[in-house]
Every structure is written in C-alpha cells, then in structure tokens.
Amino acid sequence: MTKVALALVHHPVLDRAGEIVTTAITNLDLHDMARSARTFGVLELHVVHPVAAQRLLAERIRDHWVHGSGKKRIPDRADALDVLRIVPSLEDVYTSLAPGVGRAGIELWTTAASAKRGPVTNYPDARARLSQTDKPVLITFGTGWGLAGELVASADVRLAPIHAAKDTGYNHLSVRAACAIVLDRLFG
C-alpha cells in the first residue's frame, strides 16, 4: 500500500486578490482534518506554517488532546490529533516523507476549487494511480483562496475540483470539508 500523507498549507497560499500570503491556523481545521485523516487511515497530517508562534499554537492544541486533559475526556480525539505533524515548510514535509531525497522522492498532489489552472485528474484515475506508485504521496490542501501557482504548477497530480451536481453559483468549501470529501473519494 502506498504511503499517503496530507499537508494543510498556510504558506504559500493566495488571498482573494491572488497575492501570495500566509494565513492563520484555525483550531477547527486541525481537529476536523485530523479526524478525517484518521478515519481514512492516513497517519500523517502536516500543518505547514512559517511563523513560529502559529506552530506553537498548533503544538499546544495537539498536546492538549494527545497528552493533556483533552485525552482524558475524549480519548478518541487523542488518536485523531496524534496524526498532526507541525512544520515550518513544505520542504520539511518532503524530507520527512523521502529522507535524503526530498521532493524528488514523492508524488505531490494538489487540490483545487477550480479547473482553471490546468488539467486535472479525476478520482477514479487518482485511485488507480495510488495503487500503482511506489513513491509516498503527499496531498496538499491550501488555506485562504488556494495554493500558490508555483506549487500547483509543480504538482505531479492536480485532483479534480469538488462541485455540486447542480451549479449553485457558489463553490467555496471550507478546507476541512474539502479534505473529508477528497478522502472519501479516494479511500471510501
């Protein structure tokens, strides 16, 4: 079975004007994405943030649920939050997944709310690819208004956007909802 990991990317991501920014970590994203990851058997969710104070916040949240009083009250949450790995950059994630090789040793997959930035891979084809690759797969999720263009352009796979069957004219899912849907489509 191919090793699959997730990354919740807070930099480099876009703001509504398309500028590269750094977004803030939110407690709900950490909880819900960790729970989704654990449910679908993904054992690493890398929280990528370049600001030390934000990483400390994420570590405190993780420690409360994995080692602190949160574990005593809700033990299942400890199992989920234990998948969190808090790192300053995507390069740290690449090195973790492919020691000594880095980015060249993994498949980088991106998610997107739109197909406007190039060709995408549908979920049946993505599932097939998962069963064929020997490299670890990193599925990245962007905060803000999505992953920066350079990151998207460097991806080995761009997963098809999530859309409603009927066009509602609105498509701005929370990153945690998108994560759950993507994992269900790949592993459900």
Side-chain angles (χ1 to χ4, degrees):
M1 176 77 175
T2 300
K3 178 178 182 173
V4 176
L6 308 178
L8 175 60
V9 180
H10 295 86
H11 181 88
V13 294
L14 303 175
D15 68 8
R16 71 178 66 218
E19 299 296 320
I20 294 178
V21 296
T22 302
T23 57
I25 288 175
T26 65
N27 192 1
L28 285 174
D29 288 346
L30 301 185
H31 280 261
D32 289 352
M33 290 180 71
R35 291 164 67 184
S36 292
R38 187 71 175 87
T39 296
F40 287 98
V42 176
L43 300 181
E44 294 181 17
L45 167 56
H46 299 266
V47 179
V48 180
H49 207 295
V51 177
Q54 287 285 295
R55 291 194 309 275
L56 180 60
L57 170 67
E59 290 284 358
R60 288 180 65 200
I61 292 166
R62 181 185 183 279
D63 288 347
H64 170 76
W65 290 102
V66 173
H67 304 292
S69 63
K71 180 178 182 174
K72 293 176 188 153
R73 286 196 336 267
I74 309 173
D76 288 348
R77 192 70 51 93
D79 291 341
L81 276 283
D82 197 37
V83 305
L84 294 180
R85 310 287 183 268
I86 293 83
V87 297
S89 71
L90 278 165
E91 287 71 28
D92 292 300
V93 181
Y94 304 153
T95 300
S96 170
L97 295 176
V101 182
R103 169 64 182 94
I106 69 162
E107 281 205 13
L108 177 63
W109 293 21
T110 61
T111 55
S114 167
K116 293 179 183 175
R117 296 204 264 178
V120 296
T121 301
N122 65 39
Y123 287 90
D125 289 348
R127 281 181 131 176
R129 186 166 177 146
L130 276 174
S131 68
Q132 296 166 355
T133 185
D134 293 330
K135 292 182 176 182
V137 172
L138 176 64
I139 305 171
T140 56
F141 293 88
T143 56
W145 289 75
L147 297 164
E150 184 177 301
L151 180 57
V152 172
S154 72
D156 299 300
V157 172
R158 286 190 61 242
L159 291 170
I162 299 165
H163 291 289
K166 178 183 174 192
D167 183 10
T168 63
Y170 186 85
N171 188 30
H172 195 74
L173 288 171
S174 68
V175 69
R176 57 192 174 274
C179 175
I181 293 167
V182 166
L183 292 175
D184 182 62
R185 289 182 179 177
L186 291 174
F187 303 110

